[in-house]
Amino acid sequence: MKFDGKSALITGASRGIGRAIAVEFAKRGADVALVGRDMAALEETAGLCADSRPGAVAHVFRGDVTDQASVEEVVAETVKRFGRIDCAIANAGQSIDSLLLRLKAETIDQLLNVNLKSAFYLCGAVAKPMMKQRSGSIVLVTSIVGMMGNAGQAAYAASKAGLIGLCKSLAKELGSRNIRVNAVAPGLIETAMTEKMPEGAREFLVKQAALGRAGRPEDVSGAVAFLCSDAAGYITGQTLVVDGGVLM
């Protein structure tokens, strides 16, 4: 699971799972492109990447993942700086809970834009250089909620379920060019987003896990690194569940 001489682009890299993925790849030898809106937080992630390995290279890009032109611009600039893109991780995501009868149209649009359409844009942009180099790995960060559903999260679940369908379809489209596409489905992970959960709901989810604890961002980043590595060279179109044993 070494990435010496390779490059990785990660969206939503300013904090949480995205930050852990960026540090994981930098530690394992990759040059990393960090994409997000919060430049101060991205710079902090870049610093952690530099600390993880002597000589690690991390570039930050302010980009709007819901805007196709912005995503294409970031990908083009990454190719210009690194010469290639070996790994692309669509991690940017957002959660807004609402029961169906209270769900507003703008909330549906926002979750589909951030969680699903952004992945379409990223995959379309990185597919071009990956097809040219005839190699690459794409990982979409979905959620177990997209597999099991959850009351009050219909829009979020639908957006995350869409990523699984996208993963399988692109794996079939791009496989002949030696481009692998997989997904990672985390369960409850300790991030700033999950800190806002009501304590009762949090305790319930922890009890559902066979391991009896919430996950750490590093639990997810290791799984993403595996799927992008040569060790997973014959794996594509799959969703790897990282939930401590909730879905079994």
Side-chain angles (χ1 to χ4, degrees):
M1 290 174 59
K2 293 293 185 181
F3 296 97
D4 297 330
K6 295 186 177 182
S7 65
L9 184 153
I10 304 103
T11 64
S14 59
R15 55 182 58 84
I17 292 174
R19 173 174 286 180
I21 292 171
V23 173
E24 186 82 32
F25 275 83
K27 179 175 65 177
R28 294 182 180 276
D31 295 332
V32 292
L34 314 176
V35 185
R37 288 184 172 182
D38 187 338
M39 289 299 289
L42 288 175
E43 291 288 358
E44 187 175 340
T45 301
L48 293 172
C49 291
D51 292 341
S52 71
R53 175 178 57 86
V57 177
H59 289 298
V60 300
F61 297 96
R62 181 179 176 84
D64 180 0
V65 296
T66 67
D67 180 74
Q68 186 174 11
S70 177
V71 173
E72 291 177 348
E73 182 179 347
V74 167
V75 169
E77 185 61 28
T78 300
V79 172
K80 182 179 178 180
R81 295 198 184 193
F82 295 152
R84 57 190 292 120
I85 296 179
D86 297 285
C87 309
I89 296 89
N91 167 73
Q94 186 176 22
S95 175
I96 304 174
D97 296 351
S98 177
L99 294 171
L100 177 64
L101 296 182
R102 299 176 182 173
L103 190 57
K104 298 179 180 180
E106 53 265 32
T107 299
I108 298 172
D109 289 340
Q110 184 172 351
L111 289 178
L112 290 177
N113 287 337
V114 175
N115 295 348
L116 182 57
K117 290 176 70 174
S118 67
F120 272 92
Y121 299 150
L122 180 65
C123 291
V126 301
K128 297 173 184 177
M130 286 183 175
M131 290 174 72
K132 186 176 181 180
Q133 67 199 29
R134 298 190 71 84
S135 68
S137 177
I138 299 171
V139 174
L140 312 179
V141 179
T142 178
S143 168
I144 61 169
V145 175
M147 305 173 74
M148 62 185 281
N150 194 31
Q153 291 190 307
Y156 177 76
S159 67
K160 289 298 187 177
L163 289 174
I164 297 174
L166 177 62
C167 165
K168 293 179 180 295
S169 297
L170 293 185
K172 293 182 177 181
E173 284 188 26
L174 302 175
S176 63
R177 297 299 184 95
N178 195 34
I179 300 170
R180 298 183 298 105
V181 186
N182 291 289
V184 167
L188 177 63
I189 305 297
E190 299 278 10
T191 65
M193 186 169 68
T194 58
E195 284 179 357
K196 301 175 183 178
M197 293 178 60
E199 190 59 32
R202 181 186 183 80
E203 290 179 0
F204 175 79
L205 289 174
V206 169
K207 289 180 180 178
Q208 300 304 302
L211 294 182
R213 66 170 178 85
R216 299 177 295 269
E218 292 75 18
D219 293 322
V220 182
S221 64
V224 172
F226 164 70
L227 287 174
C228 287
S229 73
D230 293 340
Y234 202 54
I235 299 176
T236 194
Q238 304 303 307
T239 299
L240 178 58
V241 176
V242 185
D243 68 350
V246 175
L247 289 183
M248 289 194 289

